[in-house]
Structure formats: structure tokens, C-alpha cells
Amino acid sequence: MNDLIEWKNYLLPLPKEITINRQVQISPSDLAINDESGHSEQSQQAVKELRQVFTEKANCSPDGKSFTIKLALPNEKNTIEGTNIHVEDLNELPNREQAYKIFPLTDNCLIIAAIKSIGLYYGACTIRQLLLATICPSYVTIPIVNIRDWPDIPERGLWNFPDEAQWIPWLASKKLNYGKMAATHLALVERNKENSATIDRELMLESQKMGFNYSPFILHLNFLHSCGI
């Protein structure tokens, strides 16, 4: 195998704590992705995006038996079910609901662990970036990592950005989680009558699977003339 790849160059944002001592190379079809977290919307989205890496870049499904990437949430004892691995240290971190850990469970298994499913999604984003560094139909190189990561602030994102349907998945993949709903449409304001706003509900619900707060747009006062004021 080649010398250890400069894996940190493929990560954005760079996790707070990361060590990599070795890497393994296998056929993409020999790897499996398992969700043992209870299958929340966000963990299902995480698995979906990880599997897409294999179908789009290696023309296969990750249903193999040689190496496994698992997603797991702790039980009431703050351990990963079936192990004596504790994740209580995540409770001490800032914005702990979004924190995650990635570590080797065995020689042929990496686990993504978090307190909440949004943390699992962010851990999967990190693994996805690492997989994309090398994956092709012939092989994929997997770094055996120890990572602990958390955001400095709870909401991170952009106020203005173009085509939301295209940009939101990209922003979420970089662990940005906020953006205004520019497509919000406020009806004409009429005196003594109720009013309403029309939003893109489907895109809002889809964004929630990625932990993204697609927030309805509240107009600046200097724009209210366009609504009849």
C-alpha cells in the first residue's frame, strides 16, 4: 500500500480532534454500511448519502462482509449497544447534540457514534469526504481514524445564497445548518384581514433530514411596500 495519505486535506471543516495511524484498502463491494441507531430521518439520510458514494463512484452497493461502517446512538447507560464503549464524553462538549465520534470498534469496523441523530449525520459527512478521496470501481482506501468533533456555535450558514435545492445539500455536507428561505412569498397586505406566507414546505422537510434550518424569510421593513404597505 502507498504511504499514508494526507487525509486532513480532504476534510472541510477539519474535525477538532483527529488521529490516523493506518489505512486499509479493499474492494468497494466488500464494505458494508449499517445503521444501528434506530433509523431516524437524519440517520437514514446519512446512510443514503454514504451509499450514494458507492453507487455513483464505484458502481456497486456497500453490502459486503470484509469491512463495516456502523452508525450508532448510545443506550440509557451511555454505551454503544453490544459493547462496553462509552460516549459520555460527548455530553461535556459545546453544542453536544451535534457532536460525534468516529473510532475503530474492531480491526475491520469503524463506528460513528453520537448523542443525537444530527451528530450521526455530521459524522457520516466526515466519512463521506474520506471515502471520496480514493474510491473508484477497483478499490477504496479507508483511514482507521479516531475523531471527536463538535461545532463552536449552534447555527452556521448563509443569509443569501442562490438555488436552494442545489445549495442546501452542499452547505449541509460542510456542516453548515442555516439559510433563509428566499422563496417565501407574502401575500398582499389588506387592512383588518388575516394574511399568510407561502413557503416551500417540501424543501423545508427535506432539509431537516440534513439537520438544516431552512428558515422562512421575514421581510425587511424597507421591502414591505412590495406587499401593499
Side-chain angles (χ1 to χ4, degrees):
M1 185 180 295
N2 296 331
D3 293 337
L4 197 66
I5 296 170
E6 292 292 336
W7 291 105
K8 294 180 183 179
N9 292 342
Y10 296 93
L11 294 173
L12 184 68
L14 186 66
K16 293 288 198 303
E17 300 172 2
I18 176 172
T19 58
I20 306 171
N21 297 316
R22 66 185 182 93
Q23 59 195 30
V24 298
Q25 192 175 92
I26 63 173
S27 169
S29 60
D30 288 338
L31 188 143
I33 308 291
N34 291 344
D35 182 8
E36 299 183 356
S37 67
H39 305 283
S40 69
E41 274 195 342
Q42 289 168 343
S43 68
Q44 288 179 34
Q45 181 69 23
V47 170
K48 175 183 175 181
E49 293 184 17
L50 287 174
R51 294 184 69 88
Q52 282 177 340
V53 172
F54 289 82
T55 56
E56 294 175 3
K57 300 296 183 180
N59 300 317
C60 70
S61 296
D63 298 311
K65 297 181 179 179
S66 296
F67 195 96
T68 304
I69 295 174
K70 292 184 179 181
L71 288 76
L73 296 173
N75 57 27
E76 64 279 358
K77 297 180 180 179
N78 265 334
T79 61
I80 301 301
E81 200 67 42
T83 77
N84 59 358
I85 303 295
H86 284 264
V87 295
E88 56 194 12
D89 58 312
L90 294 179
N91 285 305
E92 304 167 2
L93 299 174
N95 305 301
R96 61 193 185 95
E97 294 84 0
Q98 300 179 44
Y100 66 91
K101 296 172 72 171
I102 304 173
F103 54 92
L105 191 58
T106 63
D107 287 342
N108 61 351
C109 178
L110 278 178
I111 190 164
I112 304 170
I115 298 171
K116 300 291 185 180
S117 55
I118 181 55
L120 292 181
Y121 180 80
Y122 288 146
C125 287
T126 297
I127 288 291
R128 184 172 181 271
Q129 291 178 356
L130 294 171
L131 292 172
L132 284 170
T134 66
I135 191 167
C136 65
S138 302
Y139 67 87
V140 61
T141 304
I142 305 167
I144 307 304
V145 296
N146 278 276
I147 290 175
R148 192 171 71 152
D149 193 23
W150 63 95
D152 293 317
I153 55 178
E155 283 195 333
R156 314 161 296 281
L158 300 176
W159 183 243
N160 288 308
F161 54 94
D163 185 359
E164 292 97 330
Q166 297 296 320
W167 271 65
I168 288 173
W170 183 86
L171 290 167
S173 74
K174 303 299 182 286
K175 305 185 179 78
L176 298 173
N177 65 353
Y178 173 83
K180 75 166 187 178
M181 191 182 296
T184 305
H185 175 69
L186 187 66
L188 187 69
V189 176
E190 297 183 59
R191 185 182 298 274
N192 297 325
K193 290 187 178 181
E194 292 185 355
N195 204 344
S196 63
T198 301
I199 64 173
D200 190 336
R201 183 175 183 274
E202 184 177 343
L203 183 55
M204 182 181 69
L205 294 176
E206 193 65 25
S207 300
Q208 290 174 359
K209 298 176 184 178
M210 296 175 271
F212 194 92
N213 179 15
Y214 186 40
S215 181
F217 176 39
I218 305 302
L219 289 172
H220 294 285
L221 292 179
N222 59 314
F223 287 111
L224 287 175
H225 67 275
S226 64
C227 299
I229 294 181

